[in-house]
Amino acid sequence: MIKYLLELLYPPKPKCSICGRAGRLPVCNACMASLDYLQGITCLHCGKQLNEQYDDCTCPDCKTGIFYYERAYSCFEYGGMGKKLIHKLKYEGMVQLANVIAGLMAERLENERLVIDAIVPVPIHKKKLEARGFNQSQIIARELGERLHKPVMGCLERMVETKEQYNLDRNQRFLNIRGAFSVKLSYNIGKYKNILLVDDIYTTGSTVNECSKLLKDAGAAKVYVITAATGSNT
């Protein structure tokens, strides 16, 4: 009771969720500036930074394989401050950071002129949802939906609790995720022709590719992908 009364009389000053500096924003300007933003030439398919010049602006990984989404976009590299930002959200429960990420996503898509009818978050398995208490992609999608004024549909569900993707190679990731998702029958996907699929990290694209295939099989005409960060394929 004494602690409660003291907090009423002397409310704690807001501070940065990453570094702890005092401030009014969830993430201070210094930490935002420390993000390794994607800039310059990026792959026209997966959205990753291209460190070499390719004639068709497509990375080697995207020249092979079958992809069911039109294009993926991302905001920053998954490393350094970007990794801290996502880790704070996913594993420390700082859900206020979803709004920060959604803001970066909205800025990234601002000049793309995409026709979007609905936003769909990538789901997590119910066991992970129970353990974590929330799906980070879902709360990011909700914040993004408010910014873009688009409906958010939880039409995908994860049926199989797969192995963690981070310790698998590229081919293993695609095999690991196959058949892990399904579309809920209560949703009419065909009503929303152009879907924006939201996830936190793009690595090989195996997860969003599997989800995109299901959405197209269910009636979507086009699927675009937006993630907070891109990570290494290895």
Side-chain angles (χ1 to χ4, degrees), residues 38-64:
L38 297 175
Q39 52 190 321
I41 301 175
T42 57
C43 176
L44 290 178
H45 187 73
C46 70
K48 290 188 176 184
Q49 193 88 51
L50 293 181
N51 297 320
E52 300 179 39
Q53 181 66 52
Y54 298 97
D55 293 337
D56 56 358
C57 290
T58 303
C59 72
D61 290 330
C62 290
K63 292 180 185 293
T64 60

PDB file of all heavy atoms in Angstrom, residues 38-64:
ATOM      1  N   LEU A  38      17.710  -0.877 -43.321  1.00  0.00           N
ATOM      2  CA  LEU A  38      17.989  -1.292 -44.688  1.00  0.00           C
ATOM      3  C   LEU A  38      17.905  -0.066 -45.589  1.00  0.00           C
ATOM      4  O   LEU A  38      16.943   0.685 -45.540  1.00  0.00           O
ATOM      5  CB  LEU A  38      16.958  -2.340 -45.142  1.00  0.00           C
ATOM      6  CG  LEU A  38      16.954  -3.648 -44.354  1.00  0.00           C
ATOM      7  CD1 LEU A  38      15.814  -4.538 -44.813  1.00  0.00           C
ATOM      8  CD2 LEU A  38      18.273  -4.381 -44.493  1.00  0.00           C
ATOM      9  N   GLN A  39      18.910   0.118 -46.393  1.00  0.00           N
ATOM     10  CA  GLN A  39      18.949   1.270 -47.272  1.00  0.00           C
ATOM     11  C   GLN A  39      19.759   0.938 -48.514  1.00  0.00           C
ATOM     12  O   GLN A  39      20.436  -0.077 -48.572  1.00  0.00           O
ATOM     13  CB  GLN A  39      19.553   2.473 -46.544  1.00  0.00           C
ATOM     14  CG  GLN A  39      20.898   2.198 -45.895  1.00  0.00           C
ATOM     15  CD  GLN A  39      21.333   3.333 -44.993  1.00  0.00           C
ATOM     16  OE1 GLN A  39      21.137   4.497 -45.315  1.00  0.00           O
ATOM     17  NE2 GLN A  39      21.925   3.009 -43.853  1.00  0.00           N
ATOM     18  N   GLY A  40      19.644   1.785 -49.506  1.00  0.00           N
ATOM     19  CA  GLY A  40      20.328   1.494 -50.760  1.00  0.00           C
ATOM     20  C   GLY A  40      19.570   0.432 -51.536  1.00  0.00           C
ATOM     21  O   GLY A  40      18.345   0.397 -51.555  1.00  0.00           O
ATOM     22  N   ILE A  41      20.304  -0.469 -52.164  1.00  0.00           N
ATOM     23  CA  ILE A  41      19.692  -1.489 -53.022  1.00  0.00           C
ATOM     24  C   ILE A  41      19.304  -2.706 -52.179  1.00  0.00           C
ATOM     25  O   ILE A  41      20.112  -3.260 -51.446  1.00  0.00           O
ATOM     26  CB  ILE A  41      20.664  -1.921 -54.136  1.00  0.00           C
ATOM     27  CG1 ILE A  41      21.056  -0.710 -54.989  1.00  0.00           C
ATOM     28  CG2 ILE A  41      20.030  -2.998 -55.018  1.00  0.00           C
ATOM     29  CD1 ILE A  41      22.112  -1.007 -56.033  1.00  0.00           C
ATOM     30  N   THR A  42      18.056  -3.106 -52.303  1.00  0.00           N
ATOM     31  CA  THR A  42      17.570  -4.316 -51.638  1.00  0.00           C
ATOM     32  C   THR A  42      16.990  -5.255 -52.693  1.00  0.00           C
ATOM     33  O   THR A  42      16.586  -4.815 -53.769  1.00  0.00           O
ATOM     34  CB  THR A  42      16.495  -3.999 -50.585  1.00  0.00           C
ATOM     35  OG1 THR A  42      15.423  -3.298 -51.213  1.00  0.00           O
ATOM     36  CG2 THR A  42      17.072  -3.145 -49.466  1.00  0.00           C
ATOM     37  N   CYS A  43      16.958  -6.540 -52.366  1.00  0.00           N
ATOM     38  CA  CYS A  43      16.413  -7.537 -53.285  1.00  0.00           C
ATOM     39  C   CYS A  43      14.945  -7.228 -53.569  1.00  0.00           C
ATOM     40  O   CYS A  43      14.167  -6.967 -52.652  1.00  0.00           O
ATOM     41  CB  CYS A  43      16.549  -8.935 -52.684  1.00  0.00           C
ATOM     42  SG  CYS A  43      15.792 -10.245 -53.678  1.00  0.00           S
ATOM     43  N   LEU A  44      14.576  -7.264 -54.828  1.00  0.00           N
ATOM     44  CA  LEU A  44      13.209  -6.947 -55.216  1.00  0.00           C
ATOM     45  C   LEU A  44      12.217  -8.039 -54.839  1.00  0.00           C
ATOM     46  O   LEU A  44      11.013  -7.851 -55.022  1.00  0.00           O
ATOM     47  CB  LEU A  44      13.137  -6.690 -56.725  1.00  0.00           C
ATOM     48  CG  LEU A  44      13.805  -5.400 -57.220  1.00  0.00           C
ATOM     49  CD1 LEU A  44      13.703  -5.285 -58.721  1.00  0.00           C
ATOM     50  CD2 LEU A  44      13.191  -4.184 -56.545  1.00  0.00           C
ATOM     51  N   HIS A  45      12.717  -9.156 -54.318  1.00  0.00           N
ATOM     52  CA  HIS A  45      11.790 -10.211 -53.904  1.00  0.00           C
ATOM     53  C   HIS A  45      11.745 -10.358 -52.384  1.00  0.00           C
ATOM     54  O   HIS A  45      10.693 -10.199 -51.778  1.00  0.00           O
ATOM     55  CB  HIS A  45      12.161 -11.552 -54.534  1.00  0.00           C
ATOM     56  CG  HIS A  45      11.139 -12.611 -54.276  1.00  0.00           C
ATOM     57  ND1 HIS A  45       9.913 -12.635 -54.897  1.00  0.00           N
ATOM     58  CD2 HIS A  45      11.134 -13.669 -53.413  1.00  0.00           C
ATOM     59  CE1 HIS A  45       9.203 -13.653 -54.454  1.00  0.00           C
ATOM     60  NE2 HIS A  45       9.920 -14.299 -53.552  1.00  0.00           N
ATOM     61  N   CYS A  46      12.894 -10.626 -51.766  1.00  0.00           N
ATOM     62  CA  CYS A  46      12.892 -10.872 -50.319  1.00  0.00           C
ATOM     63  C   CYS A  46      13.123  -9.618 -49.492  1.00  0.00           C
ATOM     64  O   CYS A  46      12.882  -9.613 -48.288  1.00  0.00           O
ATOM     65  CB  CYS A  46      13.936 -11.928 -49.949  1.00  0.00           C
ATOM     66  SG  CYS A  46      15.655 -11.374 -50.113  1.00  0.00           S
ATOM     67  N   GLY A  47      13.612  -8.552 -50.126  1.00  0.00           N
ATOM     68  CA  GLY A  47      13.799  -7.296 -49.422  1.00  0.00           C
ATOM     69  C   GLY A  47      15.095  -7.170 -48.650  1.00  0.00           C
ATOM     70  O   GLY A  47      15.326  -6.166 -47.971  1.00  0.00           O
ATOM     71  N   LYS A  48      15.978  -8.169 -48.749  1.00  0.00           N
ATOM     72  CA  LYS A  48      17.244  -8.094 -48.017  1.00  0.00           C
ATOM     73  C   LYS A  48      18.225  -7.142 -48.702  1.00  0.00           C
ATOM     74  O   LYS A  48      18.156  -6.901 -49.897  1.00  0.00           O
ATOM     75  CB  LYS A  48      17.867  -9.489 -47.901  1.00  0.00           C
ATOM     76  CG  LYS A  48      17.109 -10.421 -46.977  1.00  0.00           C
ATOM     77  CD  LYS A  48      17.875 -11.711 -46.750  1.00  0.00           C
ATOM     78  CE  LYS A  48      17.158 -12.603 -45.757  1.00  0.00           C
ATOM     79  NZ  LYS A  48      17.920 -13.823 -45.445  1.00  0.00           N
ATOM     80  N   GLN A  49      19.157  -6.627 -47.890  1.00  0.00           N
ATOM     81  CA  GLN A  49      20.180  -5.733 -48.407  1.00  0.00           C
ATOM     82  C   GLN A  49      21.066  -6.479 -49.387  1.00  0.00           C
ATOM     83  O   GLN A  49      21.494  -7.612 -49.119  1.00  0.00           O
ATOM     84  CB  GLN A  49      21.033  -5.207 -47.255  1.00  0.00           C
ATOM     85  CG  GLN A  49      21.930  -4.042 -47.610  1.00  0.00           C
ATOM     86  CD  GLN A  49      21.216  -2.715 -47.438  1.00  0.00           C
ATOM     87  OE1 GLN A  49      20.646  -2.451 -46.406  1.00  0.00           O
ATOM     88  NE2 GLN A  49      21.259  -1.890 -48.463  1.00  0.00           N
ATOM     89  N   LEU A  50      21.340  -5.856 -50.531  1.00  0.00           N
ATOM     90  CA  LEU A  50      22.249  -6.442 -51.518  1.00  0.00           C
ATOM     91  C   LEU A  50      23.617  -5.787 -51.383  1.00  0.00           C
ATOM     92  O   LEU A  50      23.757  -4.578 -51.561  1.00  0.00           O
ATOM     93  CB  LEU A  50      21.708  -6.231 -52.939  1.00  0.00           C
ATOM     94  CG  LEU A  50      20.414  -6.981 -53.299  1.00  0.00           C
ATOM     95  CD1 LEU A  50      20.022  -6.679 -54.741  1.00  0.00           C
ATOM     96  CD2 LEU A  50      20.578  -8.479 -53.102  1.00  0.00           C
ATOM     97  N   ASN A  51      24.600  -6.595 -51.025  1.00  0.00           N
ATOM     98  CA  ASN A  51      25.963  -6.075 -50.884  1.00  0.00           C
ATOM     99  C   ASN A  51      26.717  -6.091 -52.200  1.00  0.00           C
ATOM    100  O   ASN A  51      27.806  -5.546 -52.313  1.00  0.00           O
ATOM    101  CB  ASN A  51      26.725  -6.894 -49.844  1.00  0.00           C
ATOM    102  CG  ASN A  51      26.093  -6.788 -48.465  1.00  0.00           C
ATOM    103  OD1 ASN A  51      25.660  -5.708 -48.063  1.00  0.00           O
ATOM    104  ND2 ASN A  51      26.033  -7.893 -47.734  1.00  0.00           N
ATOM    105  N   GLU A  52      26.134  -6.762 -53.201  1.00  0.00           N
ATOM    106  CA  GLU A  52      26.697  -6.775 -54.543  1.00  0.00           C
ATOM    107  C   GLU A  52      25.628  -6.317 -55.527  1.00  0.00           C
ATOM    108  O   GLU A  52      24.440  -6.382 -55.254  1.00  0.00           O
ATOM    109  CB  GLU A  52      27.165  -8.190 -54.924  1.00  0.00           C
ATOM    110  CG  GLU A  52      28.234  -8.766 -54.010  1.00  0.00           C
ATOM    111  CD  GLU A  52      28.624 -10.169 -54.426  1.00  0.00           C
ATOM    112  OE1 GLU A  52      28.712 -10.420 -55.640  1.00  0.00           O
ATOM    113  OE2 GLU A  52      28.813 -11.016 -53.551  1.00  0.00           O
ATOM    114  N   GLN A  53      26.079  -5.844 -56.672  1.00  0.00           N
ATOM    115  CA  GLN A  53      25.151  -5.386 -57.693  1.00  0.00           C
ATOM    116  C   GLN A  53      24.742  -6.547 -58.593  1.00  0.00           C
ATOM    117  O   GLN A  53      25.582  -7.230 -59.161  1.00  0.00           O
ATOM    118  CB  GLN A  53      25.803  -4.278 -58.549  1.00  0.00           C
ATOM    119  CG  GLN A  53      24.901  -3.717 -59.634  1.00  0.00           C
ATOM    120  CD  GLN A  53      23.715  -2.961 -59.054  1.00  0.00           C
ATOM    121  OE1 GLN A  53      23.877  -2.084 -58.232  1.00  0.00           O
ATOM    122  NE2 GLN A  53      22.527  -3.330 -59.484  1.00  0.00           N
ATOM    123  N   TYR A  54      23.444  -6.785 -58.702  1.00  0.00           N
ATOM    124  CA  TYR A  54      22.915  -7.801 -59.602  1.00  0.00           C
ATOM    125  C   TYR A  54      22.058  -7.118 -60.657  1.00  0.00           C
ATOM    126  O   TYR A  54      21.334  -6.160 -60.358  1.00  0.00           O
ATOM    127  CB  TYR A  54      22.075  -8.821 -58.825  1.00  0.00           C
ATOM    128  CG  TYR A  54      22.859  -9.589 -57.785  1.00  0.00           C
ATOM    129  CD1 TYR A  54      22.850  -9.197 -56.443  1.00  0.00           C
ATOM    130  CD2 TYR A  54      23.616 -10.698 -58.128  1.00  0.00           C
ATOM    131  CE1 TYR A  54      23.572  -9.888 -55.489  1.00  0.00           C
ATOM    132  CE2 TYR A  54      24.340 -11.399 -57.175  1.00  0.00           C
ATOM    133  CZ  TYR A  54      24.316 -10.986 -55.860  1.00  0.00           C
ATOM    134  OH  TYR A  54      25.038 -11.677 -54.914  1.00  0.00           O
ATOM    135  N   ASP A  55      22.134  -7.623 -61.877  1.00  0.00           N
ATOM    136  CA  ASP A  55      21.437  -6.981 -62.986  1.00  0.00           C
ATOM    137  C   ASP A  55      19.943  -6.838 -62.743  1.00  0.00           C
ATOM    138  O   ASP A  55      19.331  -5.825 -63.078  1.00  0.00           O
ATOM    139  CB  ASP A  55      21.677  -7.769 -64.286  1.00  0.00           C
ATOM    140  CG  ASP A  55      23.134  -7.693 -64.736  1.00  0.00           C
ATOM    141  OD1 ASP A  55      23.817  -6.726 -64.341  1.00  0.00           O
ATOM    142  OD2 ASP A  55      23.573  -8.602 -65.458  1.00  0.00           O
ATOM    143  N   ASP A  56      19.322  -7.882 -62.167  1.00  0.00           N
ATOM    144  CA  ASP A  56      17.884  -7.840 -61.944  1.00  0.00           C
ATOM    145  C   ASP A  56      17.509  -7.492 -60.503  1.00  0.00           C
ATOM    146  O   ASP A  56      16.350  -7.614 -60.109  1.00  0.00           O
ATOM    147  CB  ASP A  56      17.243  -9.176 -62.332  1.00  0.00           C
ATOM    148  CG  ASP A  56      17.874 -10.352 -61.589  1.00  0.00           C
ATOM    149  OD1 ASP A  56      18.826 -10.121 -60.814  1.00  0.00           O
ATOM    150  OD2 ASP A  56      17.408 -11.491 -61.780  1.00  0.00           O
ATOM    151  N   CYS A  57      18.502  -7.040 -59.711  1.00  0.00           N
ATOM    152  CA  CYS A  57      18.270  -6.668 -58.300  1.00  0.00           C
ATOM    153  C   CYS A  57      17.603  -7.796 -57.525  1.00  0.00           C
ATOM    154  O   CYS A  57      16.731  -7.568 -56.673  1.00  0.00           O
ATOM    155  CB  CYS A  57      17.430  -5.395 -58.212  1.00  0.00           C
ATOM    156  SG  CYS A  57      18.311  -3.911 -58.744  1.00  0.00           S
ATOM    157  N   THR A  58      17.996  -9.019 -57.806  1.00  0.00           N
ATOM    158  CA  THR A  58      17.467 -10.182 -57.110  1.00  0.00           C
ATOM    159  C   THR A  58      18.636 -10.966 -56.526  1.00  0.00           C
ATOM    160  O   THR A  58      19.598 -11.275 -57.233  1.00  0.00           O
ATOM    161  CB  THR A  58      16.671 -11.089 -58.067  1.00  0.00           C
ATOM    162  OG1 THR A  58      15.626 -10.316 -58.675  1.00  0.00           O
ATOM    163  CG2 THR A  58      16.058 -12.261 -57.325  1.00  0.00           C
ATOM    164  N   CYS A  59      18.554 -11.298 -55.243  1.00  0.00           N
ATOM    165  CA  CYS A  59      19.647 -12.021 -54.592  1.00  0.00           C
ATOM    166  C   CYS A  59      19.699 -13.469 -55.088  1.00  0.00           C
ATOM    167  O   CYS A  59      18.708 -13.981 -55.612  1.00  0.00           O
ATOM    168  CB  CYS A  59      19.482 -11.974 -53.076  1.00  0.00           C
ATOM    169  SG  CYS A  59      18.142 -12.980 -52.436  1.00  0.00           S
ATOM    170  N   PRO A  60      20.834 -14.146 -54.939  1.00  0.00           N
ATOM    171  CA  PRO A  60      20.975 -15.532 -55.417  1.00  0.00           C
ATOM    172  C   PRO A  60      19.932 -16.483 -54.844  1.00  0.00           C
ATOM    173  O   PRO A  60      19.458 -17.388 -55.535  1.00  0.00           O
ATOM    174  CB  PRO A  60      22.391 -15.915 -54.961  1.00  0.00           C
ATOM    175  CG  PRO A  60      23.124 -14.623 -54.884  1.00  0.00           C
ATOM    176  CD  PRO A  60      22.120 -13.621 -54.412  1.00  0.00           C
ATOM    177  N   ASP A  61      19.552 -16.297 -53.568  1.00  0.00           N
ATOM    178  CA  ASP A  61      18.569 -17.192 -52.949  1.00  0.00           C
ATOM    179  C   ASP A  61      17.206 -17.096 -53.620  1.00  0.00           C
ATOM    180  O   ASP A  61      16.457 -18.083 -53.667  1.00  0.00           O
ATOM    181  CB  ASP A  61      18.424 -16.870 -51.460  1.00  0.00           C
ATOM    182  CG  ASP A  61      19.655 -17.269 -50.663  1.00  0.00           C
ATOM    183  OD1 ASP A  61      20.325 -18.245 -51.060  1.00  0.00           O
ATOM    184  OD2 ASP A  61      19.954 -16.611 -49.665  1.00  0.00           O
ATOM    185  N   CYS A  62      16.871 -15.928 -54.128  1.00  0.00           N
ATOM    186  CA  CYS A  62      15.547 -15.727 -54.728  1.00  0.00           C
ATOM    187  C   CYS A  62      15.503 -16.112 -56.205  1.00  0.00           C
ATOM    188  O   CYS A  62      14.441 -16.062 -56.829  1.00  0.00           O
ATOM    189  CB  CYS A  62      15.100 -14.278 -54.558  1.00  0.00           C
ATOM    190  SG  CYS A  62      14.714 -13.856 -52.836  1.00  0.00           S
ATOM    191  N   LYS A  63      16.657 -16.470 -56.763  1.00  0.00           N
ATOM    192  CA  LYS A  63      16.684 -16.920 -58.160  1.00  0.00           C
ATOM    193  C   LYS A  63      16.256 -18.375 -58.293  1.00  0.00           C
ATOM    194  O   LYS A  63      15.966 -18.853 -59.386  1.00  0.00           O
ATOM    195  CB  LYS A  63      18.087 -16.739 -58.744  1.00  0.00           C
ATOM    196  CG  LYS A  63      18.504 -15.270 -58.902  1.00  0.00           C
ATOM    197  CD  LYS A  63      19.905 -15.174 -59.489  1.00  0.00           C
ATOM    198  CE  LYS A  63      20.387 -13.729 -59.541  1.00  0.00           C
ATOM    199  NZ  LYS A  63      19.607 -12.923 -60.483  1.00  0.00           N
ATOM    200  N   THR A  64      16.230 -19.082 -57.173  1.00  0.00           N
ATOM    201  CA  THR A  64      15.843 -20.497 -57.180  1.00  0.00           C
ATOM    202  C   THR A  64      14.650 -20.702 -56.263  1.00  0.00           C
ATOM    203  O   THR A  64      14.357 -19.879 -55.396  1.00  0.00           O
ATOM    204  CB  THR A  64      17.003 -21.383 -56.701  1.00  0.00           C
ATOM    205  OG1 THR A  64      17.359 -21.003 -55.365  1.00  0.00           O
ATOM    206  CG2 THR A  64      18.215 -21.223 -57.610  1.00  0.00           C
TER     207      THR A  64
END
